[in-house]
Coordinates of all heavy atoms in Angstrom, one line a residue:
P11 N -0.2 19.2 -10.2 CA -1.2 19.5 -11.3 C -0.4 20.0 -12.5 O 0.6 20.7 -12.3 CB -2.1 20.5 -10.7 CG -1.3 21.1 -9.6 CD -0.4 20.1 -9.1
F13 N -0.6 22.6 -15.4 CA -1.3 23.8 -15.9 C -0.8 24.1 -17.4 O 0.0 24.9 -17.6 CB -1.0 25.0 -15.1 CG -1.5 24.9 -13.7 CD1 -0.6 24.7 -12.6 CD2 -2.8 24.9 -13.4 CE1 -1.1 24.6 -11.3 CE2 -3.3 24.7 -12.1 CZ -2.5 24.6 -11.1
M18 N -6.1 23.2 -19.2 CA -7.0 24.2 -18.8 C -8.3 24.1 -19.7 O -9.4 24.4 -19.3 CB -6.4 25.6 -18.9 CG -5.2 25.8 -18.0 SD -5.5 25.3 -16.3 CE -6.4 26.7 -15.7
K21 N -10.4 21.2 -18.5 CA -11.0 21.6 -17.2 C -12.3 22.5 -17.4 O -13.3 22.2 -16.8 CB -10.0 22.3 -16.4 CG -10.5 22.7 -15.0 CD -9.4 23.4 -14.3 CE -9.8 23.8 -12.9 NZ -10.9 24.7 -12.8
L90 N -13.2 21.3 -8.8 CA -11.9 21.4 -8.1 C -11.1 22.5 -8.8 O -10.9 22.5 -10.0 CB -11.2 20.0 -8.3 CG -9.8 20.0 -7.7 CD1 -9.9 20.3 -6.2 CD2 -9.2 18.6 -7.9
D91 N -10.7 23.4 -8.0 CA -9.9 24.5 -8.6 C -8.6 24.6 -7.7 O -8.6 24.9 -6.5 CB -10.6 25.8 -8.5 CG -10.0 26.9 -9.3 OD1 -9.0 26.6 -10.0 OD2 -10.4 28.1 -9.3
F92 N -7.4 24.3 -8.3 CA -6.2 24.3 -7.6 C -5.7 25.6 -7.1 O -5.1 25.8 -6.1 CB -5.1 23.7 -8.5 CG -5.2 22.2 -8.7 CD1 -5.6 21.7 -10.0 CD2 -5.1 21.3 -7.7 CE1 -5.7 20.4 -10.2 CE2 -5.2 20.0 -7.9 CZ -5.5 19.5 -9.2
I93 N -6.1 26.7 -7.8 CA -5.7 28.0 -7.4 C -6.4 28.5 -6.2 O -5.8 29.1 -5.3 CB -5.9 29.0 -8.6 CG1 -5.1 28.6 -9.8 CG2 -5.6 30.4 -8.2 CD1 -5.3 29.3 -11.1
E94 N -7.7 28.1 -6.0 CA -8.5 28.5 -4.9 C -8.2 27.6 -3.7 O -8.4 28.0 -2.5 CB -10.0 28.5 -5.2 CG -10.4 29.6 -6.2 CD -11.8 29.5 -6.5 OE1 -12.5 28.6 -6.0 OE2 -12.3 30.3 -7.4
T95 N -7.8 26.4 -3.9 CA -7.6 25.4 -2.9 C -6.4 25.7 -2.0 O -5.4 26.1 -2.4 CB -7.5 24.0 -3.4 OG1 -8.6 23.7 -4.3 CG2 -7.4 22.9 -2.4

Side-chain angles (χ1 to χ4, degrees):
F13 297 109
M18 299 310 279
K21 182 182 183 298
L90 178 60
D91 193 7
F92 290 110
I93 297 171
E94 293 176 2
T95 307

